[in-house]
Amino acid sequence: MKTPLLTAVLALLPTAALSATAPEGVPLEVRRGFFTEADIGVFFTVGGLNRYSNAQTYLQLGVGYDISDRVTLGVHFGLGASAANCFASYLPGTNECARSDNFSVVFADVTAGYLVPLATRFYLVPKLAAGMSRLDLSPTGTGDPAEPQTMPNAGVGIGVEYATPLDHFSVGADVMARYLIGPNIPTFAVFPRVKYTF
């Protein structure tokens, strides 16, 4: 008695499945809202007596929110290092820097970006950044070189972003220039980005 009913229900299942919206041909909606990102790339300083530092690893973590389809705000924490670039003077008769020519740079910045569409799900993203920096060891000044320096920074950047077909994930790449106000040190970071939007 129950077998014909079960057979009829099973026969109708493919029809019910076909009535659902097919995934093919449905345009992907780019997800916007709260996001996190992780970036790893290279970092260097310019200026100084050696003109530029050796490239070092740069790590950046961030959280933010897409205010609209075009405007994004975030807070980013970055860590880089300047290697072999003297921002003081050489000791008399030597090529030895009077202060440390190797130091780490920590950034805590508020960033704003504007997404300019270039193609479907592909954007050019100019950015502004401002915040605080911490240098350890101290490359300039007259105090104890072992004492870290804290100062404001301001920067501009340009990047690209692609909202992948994999929901939640965007990838991109940025070039960010920041100026350390006080010791007057220009810094550059170049890094790919991986962004997850909730």
Side-chain angles (χ1 to χ4, degrees), residues 35-41 58-64 75-79 127 160-161 168-174 190-198:
F35 67 84
T36 62
E37 67 176 70
D39 318 315
I40 188 166
Y58 179 72
L59 175 66
Q60 179 174 277
L61 302 173
V63 296
V75 177
H76 290 84
F77 302 92
L79 174 63
K127 294 184 176 181
V160 292
E161 182 175 309
H168 298 279
F169 284 95
S170 297
V171 296
D174 280 11
V190 182
F191 49 90
R193 298 172 52 235
V194 178
K195 175 181 172 184
Y196 182 90
T197 305
F198 291 87

Side-chain angles (χ1 to χ4, degrees), residues 46-47 87 105 107 109 129-133 151-156 176-188:
V46 297
F87 288 93
V105 185
F107 297 100
D109 287 350
M132 296 301 293
S133 306
M151 77 286 302
N153 76 77
V156 295
M176 181 66 72
R178 295 185 184 96
Y179 190 75
L180 305 179
I181 301 166
N184 303 324
I185 300 175
T187 72
F188 289 86

Side-chain angles (χ1 to χ4, degrees), residues 15-42:
T15 306
L18 288 173
S19 66
T21 305
E24 295 84 6
V26 177
L28 173 72
E29 262 191 59
V30 176
R31 192 176 288 267
R32 297 290 179 208
F34 179 71
F35 67 84
T36 62
E37 67 176 70
D39 318 315
I40 188 166
V42 295

